[in-house]
Amino acid sequence: MNLELSEEQEAVRRLARDFVEREVVPHATAWDRAEEVDRGIVKKLGEVGFLGLTIDEEYGGSGGDHLAYCLVTEELGRGDSSVRGIVSVSLGLVAKTIAAWGSEEQKRAWLPGLTSGEYVGCFGLTEPGTGSDAGNLTTRAVRDGGGTSRSWGSPRSSEAENGGGAGSGGDYVVNGTKMFITNGTWADVVLLFARSTDAPGHRGVSAFLVPTDTPGLTRRAVHGKLGLRGQATAELVLEDVRVPASAMLGPEGKGFSVAMSALAKGRMSVAAGCVGIAQAALDAAVRYAGEREQFGKTIARHQLVQELISDIAVDVDAARLLTWRVADLIDRGKPFAVESSKAKLFASEAAVRAANNALQVFGGYGYIDEYPAGKLLRDARVMTLYEGTSQIQKLVIGRALTGVSAF
Ligand code: FAD
């Protein structure tokens, strides 16, 4: 087993580090206070290739393997989780899912825009009444033969580009509400999950690619978040939204499989972002401990401060290794979903612990947002909640080990 990064991977990491130091770190506190990341960051992320990682070059992607994707995600997470989330969702949950499940026409219509940063994507699974129990979502897509909606595709697509997953011809009329949607107010396209047949539970769910300017789709920003304050989180309301059948991604009734396959890889990306948070906590704690003096010596010389720092360091290493294992499995074409749940479970809990330990090292100054620990803790806290809570990850792992489902 070789845990050394290749030259190419080292170069990607350096590129990401430089980008984050230049374009993200200097602004992160201001964006957090303003509750808005500068939208110009999307174009910059596209230009440097970070929105096209693992996507084929013929669709505008920048190629690369999943370890490179993790390295970039970690660096972005180190700089600002709100920026990391843009990539994890627009590329990780949307573009990569179109690449995996989309028709040729769907890939050509959406991927160049998503990978360049011309478009932003969002992932519409959660509803006000269904979070962990996503298979019981209630948004309805009812087949209607009229076929009056505009041509399918991206905002710039033509009739000729039309085509899609399931049936062709006719429309679906969609009604429902989606909650907590990352990138929601910014997005040009939502990967939307809706119940399109009467089959019970997750078997009735299908996936659709819906341009967010489709009549009947409205968005409301969610404010007052504990962390990720710079991130555009939204509630999406769909009232009689007409979607052509060609907008379906993957086969009818397979929408839950589309969602779960997206989240299995997405959890690796969240885990990598958590490694970034924990690394930032470690760097900040070590620096501060070497500067701050109490009892006539730097606090780094106090054993209990060293304990806090070493606990963070072990969490960083363990979370990173679990995350890299997932990337390695994906790149070798091996099963990875359970390992992804393990990485996400451990890394998210570790990021919360690490940020909390760093805050302790900073003492009272850790409680003030001129110092980084408070934001790291606030941003880390959501990681144990989204893309499956820690409890849900344990049920996924437990099911794989025991062969029985406790859901
Ligand atoms: P619930 O499912 O109501 O859970 C409440 C509690 O009950 C949790 O502790 C949970 O672990 C526990 N619980 C539930 N079921 C079980 C069980 N079977 N056994 C044991 N414990 C259980 N969703 C999207 O679709 N797209 C996004 O882009 C997106 N971004 C988000 C961004 C933010 C900032 C936030 C906060 C959420 C986002 N989400 C998104 C939604 C997120 O995925 C859900 O919040 C999450 O899945 C949990 O659902 P819930 O909030 O409804 O909690």
Side-chain angles (χ1 to χ4, degrees):
M1 179 188 278
N2 180 5
L3 292 175
E4 290 282 305
L5 296 180
S6 68
E7 267 180 39
E8 200 178 324
Q9 288 158 343
E10 282 288 3
V12 169
R13 177 147 80 174
R14 257 195 320 276
L15 181 70
R17 211 163 262 177
D18 292 347
F19 178 89
V20 166
E21 288 303 320
R22 194 177 61 249
E23 303 289 354
V24 179
V25 170
H27 311 291
T29 302
W31 290 340
D32 185 59
R33 287 177 182 162
E35 282 198 51
E36 188 165 20
V37 167
D38 177 359
R39 207 188 153 142
I41 196 73
V42 177
K43 201 90 193 109
K44 291 177 183 173
L45 287 164
E47 280 164 7
V48 75
F50 294 165
L51 288 167
L53 284 163
T54 76
I55 303 284
D56 282 350
E57 288 173 21
E58 68 168 304
Y59 301 114
S62 41
D65 57 17
H66 283 81
L67 189 51
Y69 176 51
C70 279
L71 296 171
V72 170
T73 313
E74 176 185 329
E75 289 302 321
L76 293 171
R78 186 177 63 76
D80 189 351
S81 287
S82 292
V83 175
R84 192 275 308 162
I86 297 169
V87 176
S88 288
V89 174
S90 198
L91 165 62
L93 293 183
V94 181
K96 280 153 70 72
T97 308
I98 295 172
W101 289 85
S103 66
E104 190 57 26
E105 290 82 358
Q106 287 170 330
K107 291 184 204 175
R108 295 212 177 278
W110 288 111
L111 291 180
L114 287 168
T115 54
S116 67
E118 182 186 350
Y119 303 149
V120 172
C122 69
F123 185 82
L125 180 64
T126 302
E127 299 181 354
T130 56
S132 301
D133 191 12
N136 274 320
L137 58 82
T138 60
T139 294
R140 296 284 314 192
V142 177
R143 192 81 186 235
D144 178 90
T148 52
S149 68
R150 73 178 193 191
S151 64
W152 173 84
S154 64
R156 62 177 184 190
S157 71
S158 66
E159 289 284 348
E161 286 175 309
N162 289 353
S168 56
D171 287 351
Y172 286 88
V173 179
V174 186
N175 281 283
T177 303
K178 296 291 173 180
M179 191 58 188
F180 293 134
I181 306 305
T182 300
N183 293 345
T185 49
W186 284 12
D188 300 283
V189 59
V190 52
L191 173 48
L192 184 84
F193 299 90
R195 187 166 296 289
S196 71
T197 76
D198 290 331
H202 65 80
R203 283 190 287 279
V205 175
S206 300
F208 298 88
L209 290 165
V210 184
T212 52
D213 61 356
T214 308
L217 195 163
T218 52
R219 303 181 265 180
R220 186 181 66 81
V222 174
H223 289 293
K225 297 197 298 283
L226 177 68
L228 296 185
R229 288 188 183 159
Q231 199 162 80
T233 309
E235 180 184 35
L236 310 186
V237 178
L238 299 106
E239 291 171 307
D240 293 333
V241 173
R242 294 192 85 87
V243 181
S246 58
M248 190 177 281
L249 184 71
E252 177 141 51
K254 288 287 175 197
F256 198 68
S257 300
V258 173
M260 291 305 111
S261 71
L263 290 172
K265 281 188 185 161
R267 286 166 184 161
M268 177 194 71
S269 163
V270 172
C274 290
V275 177
I277 291 177
Q279 181 68 58
L282 180 62
D283 295 345
V286 168
R287 207 177 316 118
Y288 189 77
E291 293 164 0
R292 176 74 172 168
E293 290 190 4
Q294 290 294 290
F295 298 94
K297 56 186 178 184
T298 63
I299 60 170
R301 291 183 176 275
H302 296 299
Q303 289 180 352
L304 296 180
V305 173
Q306 290 207 0
E307 181 188 43
L308 289 168
I309 288 172
S310 67
D311 284 352
I312 302 173
V314 175
D315 270 338
V316 170
D317 282 359
R320 186 178 284 129
L321 288 172
L322 282 172
T323 306
W324 284 11
R325 177 173 69 167
V326 183
D328 177 60
L329 289 169
I330 296 174
D331 288 334
R332 288 191 295 119
K334 303 276 184 193
F336 62 90
V338 178
E339 287 75 11
S340 194
S341 281
K342 288 179 184 171
K344 195 269 183 183
L345 170 63
F346 184 84
S348 60
E349 299 285 347
V352 174
R353 267 195 311 271
N356 200 38
N357 281 335
L359 196 150
Q360 196 68 18
V361 171
F362 275 81
Y365 294 97
Y367 206 63
I368 310 290
D369 82 347
E370 274 170 49
Y371 294 85
K375 177 177 183 299
L376 291 171
L377 181 56
R378 288 188 288 103
D379 288 349
R381 195 58 192 82
V382 76
M383 307 297 180
T384 72
L385 302 174
Y386 68 15
E387 299 209 18
T389 64
S390 290
Q391 287 72 32
I392 294 303
Q393 307 309 331
K394 288 177 185 176
L395 295 184
V396 170
I397 297 161
R399 182 178 57 192
L401 290 169
T402 64
V404 293
S405 173
F407 281 101

